[in-house]
Amino acid sequence: MMTLRFKSYELQMNHEFTIAGGSRSTTPVMLTEIAYGNTIGYGEASMPPYLGENHITAVAFLSKVDLSLFDSPFLMEDILQYVDQIAPGNYAAKASVDIALHDLAGKLIGQPWYKIWGLNPKRTPNTSFTIGMDNPEVVKAKVAEASRFNILKVKLGKGNDRDMISAVRSVTDKPLCVDVNQGWTDRQEALDMVFWLKEQGVVFIEQPMSKTAFADTAWLTQRSPLPVIADEAFQTVADLEKVNGVYSGINVKLMKCGGMRAAYTIMQIARAMGMKIMIGCMTETSCAVTAAAQLSPLADWADLDGNLLIGNDLFSGIRITDGKVMLPETPGIGIRPL
Ligand code: MG
């Protein structure tokens, strides 16, 4: 019989994290476990405030999940459909069950998920390391801390874009990507900035304008010399149709879409639609980040640094070697409790 357990936890961030939407220094998460015989699968829900979930909503949702209705963890389609229909939304809470179930099933099979899916671990992308907004001296120090990464993700959109990029460029010539977090409001100014950013060695732009600004974003994407990626504008598989043609690609995150199974489906469909694919994460322990890493051979770019931004991780798993995602051989999602 499968038993679901869960508890609240608070991630402590190494640096206060500032994006166009605000600042914070902690992130609430739920840690889940599915026990089956002597095997335990681990999962996690990370709940940054802007997605609307928190400890209270997650406890309420997870309290309704009754896995005793199922006699085998391999009934993943049935179990996850059941979990999905318990209530709308609650994607992070749903992801925490999905991840724990994948960890459990993978451990019972004795293989990591990238092998079960038949993905080539040599195809994992470089992962970016995020440089949050700060004054130029702190930005330079953060770039120095990121020396083992081959691509840096710079947060823009608060009116100091050129200063941020110039500070980064004063200390490194590595490729950059930028995340504007919906911060730009004028499409012509946005386009001018994109051309300038291309000259600065930026390779793609994430969420330049409001998630609801479809017409302006489509206008920008058509003229942009760089791929434009949807993050806040894209959540679940149902959103693929509305972002296709408006953005060049999508940022897939387990916490937005409900877990590994949904993310795998999204990535297959997006690829068939000809979209670029990024696999990202929230501030998370190595549990959810390593689960996302299992899918990274399907992505063009990875942004899997969430576990590196916290001081109180509870698991070992994903490693970064020479800037590239390295998938552990560990069965399941590839983690061990510390
Ligand atoms: Mg983003």
Side-chain angles (χ1 to χ4, degrees), residues 48-336:
Y50 77 93
L51 282 180
E53 293 181 68
N54 53 53
H55 285 146
I56 294 167
T57 63
V59 168
F61 182 86
L62 294 170
S63 300
K64 293 180 192 147
V65 177
D66 179 8
L67 296 182
S68 72
L69 299 169
F70 302 92
D71 53 17
S72 163
F74 294 109
L75 296 171
M76 298 182 79
E77 191 70 33
D78 290 8
I79 296 168
L80 294 173
Q81 275 184 26
Y82 153 77
V83 170
D84 191 50
Q85 60 75 46
I86 289 174
N90 292 282
Y91 288 104
K94 288 171 181 173
S96 75
V97 179
D98 168 283
I99 294 167
L101 188 62
H102 277 80
D103 194 36
L104 175 63
K107 282 170 172 165
L108 294 169
I109 295 168
Q111 297 293 341
W113 271 92
Y114 75 85
K115 285 191 180 172
I116 298 169
W117 279 322
L119 304 180
N120 184 347
K122 295 195 179 106
R123 286 181 179 255
T124 56
N126 284 310
T127 187
S128 51
F129 184 79
T130 301
I131 308 294
M133 281 179 196
D134 228 311
N135 68 59
E137 291 316 308
V138 176
V139 167
K140 288 181 203 174
K142 287 178 178 173
V143 172
E145 280 176 42
S147 60
R148 65 201 177 98
F149 294 88
N150 298 324
I151 178 166
L152 302 178
K153 172 161 155 176
V154 184
K155 293 286 195 176
L156 298 184
K158 268 200 157 176
N160 60 342
D161 297 350
R162 286 173 197 259
D163 294 341
M164 279 292 296
I165 297 294
S166 299
V168 173
R169 273 289 168 254
S170 72
V171 284
T172 183
D173 56 5
K174 285 176 184 171
L176 307 177
C177 54
V178 301
D179 189 352
V180 188
N181 289 112
Q182 314 183 72
W184 295 343
T185 50
D186 181 275
R187 68 186 192 182
Q188 185 60 53
E189 283 176 25
L191 184 61
D192 294 345
M193 184 58 77
V194 172
F195 275 100
W196 182 78
L197 289 168
K198 183 171 194 300
E199 286 171 19
Q200 301 300 313
V202 170
V203 295
F204 68 85
I205 313 282
E206 196 178 324
Q207 201 61 53
M209 306 182 78
S210 163
K211 63 181 179 181
T212 59
F214 280 89
D216 282 344
T217 304
W219 182 93
L220 177 65
T221 301
Q222 277 167 13
R223 291 159 180 80
S224 172
L226 298 175
V228 177
I229 306 298
D231 185 5
E232 288 87 337
F234 173 79
Q235 183 161 3
T236 70
V237 67
D239 297 328
L240 274 172
E241 236 183 318
K242 78 178 189 209
V243 296
N244 190 26
V246 175
Y247 293 83
S248 330
I250 51 170
N251 186 346
V252 181
K253 296 178 180 173
L254 304 187
M255 299 303 146
K256 293 195 296 185
C257 70
M260 298 168 73
R261 195 170 183 85
Y264 183 86
T265 304
I266 287 167
M267 292 167 94
Q268 298 289 350
I269 298 172
R271 187 61 76 202
M273 286 174 154
M275 299 192 85
K276 294 279 186 191
I277 301 169
M278 178 177 179
I279 180 91
C281 61
M282 307 295 181
T283 308
E284 297 164 358
T285 72
S286 291
C287 176
V289 176
T290 310
Q294 299 288 331
L295 294 148
S296 66
L298 291 169
D300 299 292
W301 301 294
D303 182 29
L304 296 174
D305 62 353
N307 58 323
L308 303 174
L309 305 176
I310 60 168
N312 57 342
D313 201 350
L314 296 168
F315 300 92
S316 64
I318 181 176
R319 282 177 194 282
I320 308 298
T321 302
D322 296 330
K324 198 171 134 78
V325 174
M326 304 299 286
L327 289 167
E329 291 283 322
T330 317
I333 61 170
I335 58 161
R336 295 183 198 283

Side-chain angles (χ1 to χ4, degrees), residues 33-51:
E33 294 181 10
I34 301 177
Y36 180 73
N38 294 324
T39 309
I40 295 175
Y42 296 97
E44 177 181 10
S46 172
M47 301 174 291
Y50 77 93
L51 282 180

Side-chain angles (χ1 to χ4, degrees), residues 21-43:
S23 297
R24 65 178 200 274
S25 56
T26 62
T27 301
V29 301
M30 292 298 292
L31 303 166
T32 55
E33 294 181 10
I34 301 177
Y36 180 73
N38 294 324
T39 309
I40 295 175
Y42 296 97

